[in-house]
Amino acid sequence: MIQFAALAVLVIIAHPDDETLYSGFLHALTHKIGARVDLVCITNGEGGFRHSHASASIYGNLDLSNEKIARENLPRIRQKELLASGQILGIRKYFFYDQLDLKYSTEINDVLENQWNQVLVRQMLIETLKTGNGASGYDLMLVMLPNNQSHGHHTVSGLLALSTINELKLNRSTSIKIPTVLGGSEFVLNQAYNYSSNYFGEISFVEEKEFRFNRRWKLRKNSVAIDYQLIVLWSCSEHKSQGSLIPQTLTRLARENEQYFYFSLNKDVERFQFIENLFEQLIDIHR
Ligand SMILES: *[C@@H]1O[C@H](CO)[C@@H](O)[C@H](O)[C@H]1NC(C)=O
Ligand SMILES: *[C@@H]1O[C@H](CO)[C@@H](O)[C@H](O)[C@H]1NC(C)=O
Ligand SMILES: *[C@@H]1O[C@H](CO)[C@@H](O)[C@H](O)[C@H]1NC(C)=O
């Protein structure tokens, strides 16, 4: 507890609700380790209307299955949902980068060329790294592990964050603390996964060793019934405009372990040990 008391973490996600992939880890960081966790959400989430109809009566009977109405209203609605989920997870601060959530595509060039202003995203991220946690900066940055099966927004959010960190390193920036970067996997993986086929090059390479957060761990010792699945479902259920989130979380995205990977980009034995210690501490706490 003492060792990580001042740990500052910045989480980068693409849409409001992506944080639910990391619910167990984030909840434990804030509740068991005393970490400060801040969150960047890159898009405004307006494209997520496909399964919104079930929530209409909660949101003033708006016809959220109508694309135009949905795009006008979802940014506001989903922001609120994220704040509610974040309250459960213990998120301290939010940074909304308001990039366009135009459409689903696994094609990252489409996101970079037609959907987001990548120059602006990089600038905003640098600003967040510089000022988000005052002069202390962030110790750890959690990004979505780039994967070619994934929503292009997810992949690009991770790649842009990684390439910004890479640039800070190359520039030998001294005014900004460079956090250690971890990638949280959206999918259940049998082995570490290297995303490589793109012009971002090797920044996304990960080490073989994987770190796990087990959602079957109990929130309290001897509390047989209550494990982190509860937190996962609580955070998912705040995203009522996303009608398919809970069904997916229970089936396609169902997992016992959240999987986190250490990027080779961190290139530092001490940083690796820091992550190892952090996860060992989490295992100890929940033993
Ligand atoms: C995705 O990555 C896997 C594993 O690296 C590879 O076998 C596959 O061809 C890739 N698919 C695409 C569409 O790039
Ligand atoms: C790195 O340095 C270049 C040239 O000075 C500058 O344009 C760029 O914004 C810097 N990038 C970062 C991430 O600091
Ligand atoms: C990813 O690729 C790098 C560079 O080839 C390699 O060093 C590393 O071991 C790979 N990681 C995995 C998990 O395959």
Side-chain angles (χ1 to χ4, degrees):
M1 186 82 193
I2 294 154
Q3 195 182 354
F4 292 108
L7 187 72
V9 182
L10 186 65
V11 184
I12 317 282
I13 58 173
H15 314 100
D17 82 358
D18 294 334
E19 82 290 354
T20 59
L21 291 166
Y22 316 119
S23 293
F25 183 43
L26 297 181
H27 190 276
L29 281 174
T30 57
H31 288 72
K32 299 281 199 243
I33 306 270
R36 298 179 200 130
V37 178
D38 296 346
L39 182 139
V40 167
C41 182
I42 296 187
T43 75
N44 65 8
E46 67 173 59
F49 54 85
R50 246 150 243 101
H51 307 281
S52 298
H53 56 88
S55 67
S57 64
I58 299 165
Y59 296 123
N61 290 315
L62 287 167
D63 182 6
L64 294 174
S65 57
N66 174 309
E67 178 164 355
K68 184 164 180 295
I69 295 174
R71 288 193 182 272
E72 279 165 14
N73 288 279
L74 278 179
R76 169 182 58 84
I77 288 172
R78 297 194 69 186
Q79 194 158 326
K80 267 196 168 156
E81 291 177 342
L82 178 56
L83 298 182
S85 162
Q87 188 174 21
I88 292 162
L89 303 179
I91 309 277
R92 178 181 64 164
K93 271 196 223 174
Y94 301 82
F95 303 92
F96 293 99
Y97 290 0
D98 284 328
Q99 295 301 293
L100 183 59
D101 180 13
L102 185 63
K103 63 176 199 286
Y104 177 89
S105 159
T106 53
E107 189 39 63
I108 65 162
N109 291 332
D110 182 50
V111 182
L112 289 164
E113 285 156 24
N114 307 321
Q115 301 193 39
W116 296 2
N117 180 341
Q118 61 163 305
V119 175
L120 191 63
V121 170
R122 285 171 199 271
Q123 279 171 0
M124 288 191 284
L125 185 54
I126 289 171
E127 190 58 28
T128 304
L129 288 169
K130 211 168 173 174
T131 61
N133 189 39
S136 322
Y138 292 99
D139 306 295
L140 177 63
M141 187 162 95
L142 173 62
V143 306
M144 306 191 78
L145 183 74
N147 187 308
N148 65 4
Q149 308 291 307
S150 196
H151 193 320
H153 293 169
H154 295 180
T155 312
V156 174
S157 72
L159 292 173
L160 282 182
L162 284 162
S163 80
T164 303
I165 294 294
N166 192 43
E167 223 180 288
L168 287 172
K169 281 180 176 261
L170 293 174
N171 282 10
R172 298 181 192 282
S173 169
T174 49
S175 61
I176 301 175
K177 176 162 173 183
I178 298 180
T180 301
V181 197
L182 275 189
S185 181
E186 172 178 351
F187 306 108
V188 177
L189 300 176
N190 295 321
Q191 58 184 50
Y193 171 87
N194 257 339
Y195 181 94
S196 55
S197 55
N198 72 93
Y199 58 75
F200 283 98
E202 61 189 34
I203 55 163
S204 58
F205 286 171
V206 295
E207 308 278 313
E208 307 272 351
K209 175 147 169 87
E210 160 195 343
F211 299 94
R212 292 182 167 193
F213 185 93
N214 192 320
R215 290 180 168 179
R216 295 280 172 217
W217 283 341
K218 311 298 175 203
L219 269 89
R220 268 165 76 170
K221 286 194 179 105
N222 309 324
S223 154
V224 177
I226 300 183
D227 60 21
Y228 282 89
Q229 294 287 4
L230 175 71
I231 303 301
V232 175
L233 288 175
W234 273 0
S235 59
C236 288
S237 66
E238 293 298 345
H239 296 277
K240 296 189 175 61
S241 72
Q242 303 307 296
S244 59
L245 180 62
I246 288 184
Q248 281 186 1
T249 300
L250 294 175
T251 55
R252 191 171 69 86
L253 301 175
R255 71 198 54 203
E256 178 162 332
N257 291 298
E258 294 171 14
Q259 296 171 288
Y260 297 96
F261 296 90
Y262 181 88
F263 290 103
S264 313
L265 166 93
N266 294 309
K267 278 198 189 83
D268 190 328
V269 176
E270 279 172 26
R271 286 181 186 265
F272 191 78
Q273 281 165 356
F274 152 69
I275 298 297
E276 271 193 321
N277 288 341
L278 175 60
F279 279 87
E280 272 164 23
Q281 178 139 345
L282 287 170
I283 292 168
D284 269 0
I285 289 169
H286 296 98
R287 208 190 293 278

